[in-house]
Amino acid sequence: MSQQVESPSEHTDLLTEIAVSYYQNGATQEEISKKFSVSRAKVGRLLKQARDEGIVEITVKYHPVFSARIEERLIERFGVKRALIALDQDDDEHQRQMIGGLVSNYLSSTLKNGTVVAVGQGRNVASVAHHVGVIAPRECKFVCGIGGIHPRGGKFNADHICRHLAKKYGGTSETLYAPAYAETKAQKDAFMQNSTVKQTLDLARKADLALVGVGDMNENSHMVQLGWFTAGEVVQSRLLQGVVGDFAGYDFFDVNGEVVSTVMNDRVIGLSIEEFKPIAEVIAIASETSKPLALLGALRTGAIDVIATSVSNALTVLNLDEQMKY
């Protein structure tokens, strides 16, 4: 008699039954071997095949204690006050939403009547403003720490974010009436001398709290897509000057946290890293998986008091910092 050959659907059914027995019902491989009349070695191979074919998806769910341990390591290593660590998500947008929710909840417990908040730009900071939640009203003032950007990036504009935060918390907002990026250094200098611009930036410098993003030096980054800088300028700064990221869209720094002078700095209208340092509590957000190196450099600037990121980013930063010591 010829040996019966399983059809593809029958084979899939077998993989599913074995996977359910092992992962859901808690049967041992020895018990499955006897039940399905196959060797124990074959059970192991079939379970691996079930994982490879996507019949079984294994997800590690981190216990809050695990995140707390990561936070303790970041506090010890970089001297930050807090680390808000979110579980890893499947894509950047969901990751931003998750971290934005953590920061939003943190602000709800931190903000008091009369608090002045200097606000940066970008998708990560915007995610905090757009997070939906029950918020107790606060008479806070949200002030732009950087100028406005092109209409294509309107919802990531510091002014747009300030207005949303003010509406969310029942406070007020103050606009910085200047572009975020001037076309030339001379144009930037002229804006910085304007009395209205100076007044707003002075208020931002005296803020009680700041909310900013950390950017990475990617030629496909958001700031390149919006035309603030060219891909060539970004690549040149990264390869020739060792720039790994930007802080609040303004200062550009290397992996050691040292500010690097680039052609891009000369065109930004807003607060610098040195102007953020006197602010009592600077919250920096970096959610995307491309940002560990930028995050490491940002932490080494000494300007960050609270960092908000993902589990994988936090662990990568800690590992990079450890490796670079040797």
Side-chain angles (χ1 to χ4, degrees):
M1 292 180 65
S2 60
Q3 187 176 4
Q4 186 176 359
V5 179
E6 288 181 334
S7 69
S9 62
E10 288 175 331
H11 183 66
T12 299
D13 289 344
L14 175 63
L15 289 179
T16 303
E17 282 191 76
I18 288 176
V20 168
S21 296
Y22 185 73
Y23 289 105
Q24 186 169 300
N25 299 335
T28 65
Q29 291 190 23
E30 184 65 33
E31 290 170 338
I32 293 171
S33 172
K34 293 176 180 178
K35 179 179 178 180
F36 292 93
S37 300
V38 294
S39 69
R40 194 173 183 282
K42 186 173 182 179
V43 171
R45 289 196 298 273
L46 291 172
L47 287 171
K48 181 181 184 302
Q49 189 175 353
R51 295 194 299 272
D52 293 342
E53 294 184 9
I55 293 171
V56 174
E57 293 183 352
I58 299 176
T59 303
V60 177
K61 295 293 185 181
Y62 296 111
H63 190 277
V65 170
F66 182 76
S67 293
R69 287 173 182 164
I70 297 175
E71 178 177 6
E72 288 174 5
R73 291 175 64 191
L74 288 168
I75 290 172
E76 180 181 354
R77 191 77 59 85
F78 299 104
V80 293
K81 172 185 172 184
R82 284 292 309 273
L84 308 176
I85 309 297
L87 299 183
D88 293 340
Q89 302 300 306
D90 293 333
D91 58 70
D92 286 344
E93 183 55 37
H94 284 102
Q95 193 69 72
R96 278 191 288 270
Q97 291 173 7
M98 179 71 74
I99 295 173
L102 285 181
V103 176
S104 179
N105 292 336
Y106 179 77
L107 287 176
S108 296
S109 65
T110 302
L111 296 179
K112 298 179 176 60
N113 289 335
T115 299
V116 176
V117 184
V119 178
Q121 64 179 14
R123 289 172 286 192
N124 284 296
V125 182
S127 69
V128 179
H130 294 146
H131 176 73
V132 178
V134 179
I135 305 296
R138 306 281 199 282
E139 293 180 6
C140 299
K141 174 167 280 191
F142 299 92
V143 56
C144 297
I146 191 168
I149 57 180
H150 192 282
R152 281 183 297 159
K155 63 182 179 178
F156 309 129
N157 194 319
D159 181 54
H160 177 90
I161 296 169
C162 278
R163 292 175 188 272
H164 268 261
L165 287 169
K167 183 177 180 180
K168 179 175 179 176
Y169 289 96
T172 60
S173 65
E174 181 160 333
T175 302
L176 177 59
Y177 290 101
Y181 303 97
E183 294 178 5
T184 64
K185 184 179 186 302
Q187 190 182 82
K188 171 193 170 175
D189 292 340
F191 273 113
M192 295 295 280
Q193 292 302 313
N194 179 275
S195 59
T196 303
V197 171
K198 288 174 68 176
Q199 182 178 335
T200 302
L201 287 177
D202 282 342
L203 179 60
R205 292 182 186 103
K206 297 173 184 175
D208 306 294
L209 188 147
L211 183 63
V212 302
V214 174
D216 59 343
M217 299 307 291
N218 187 325
E219 55 267 37
N220 297 315
S221 70
H222 189 60
M223 60 186 181
V224 171
Q225 291 173 14
L226 291 179
W228 304 338
F229 307 121
T230 67
E233 287 173 331
V234 170
V235 171
Q236 183 179 26
S237 296
R238 186 181 71 222
L239 297 181
L240 301 182
Q241 297 182 281
V243 175
V244 297
D246 72 85
F247 190 90
Y250 187 107
D251 274 324
F252 298 84
F253 51 82
D254 62 21
V255 73
N256 296 313
E258 298 294 331
V259 174
V260 179
S261 179
T262 73
V263 294
M264 298 182 288
N265 297 68
D266 292 337
R267 304 209 305 268
V268 184
I269 301 171
L271 299 188
S272 66
I273 287 180
E274 288 304 314
E275 290 173 314
F276 275 106
K277 286 182 179 179
I279 295 175
E281 189 164 334
V282 176
I283 304 171
I285 312 171
S287 64
E288 295 81 1
T289 55
S290 61
K291 292 186 175 177
L293 201 60
L295 183 53
L296 175 59
L299 285 165
R300 288 175 167 179
T301 66
I304 297 174
D305 301 290
V306 178
I307 186 66
T309 192
S310 65
V311 167
S312 59
N313 276 353
L315 290 175
T316 302
V317 165
L318 288 165
N319 288 336
L320 284 172
D321 184 63
E322 188 67 29
Q323 291 169 16
M324 291 177 67
K325 288 181 178 178
Y326 302 100

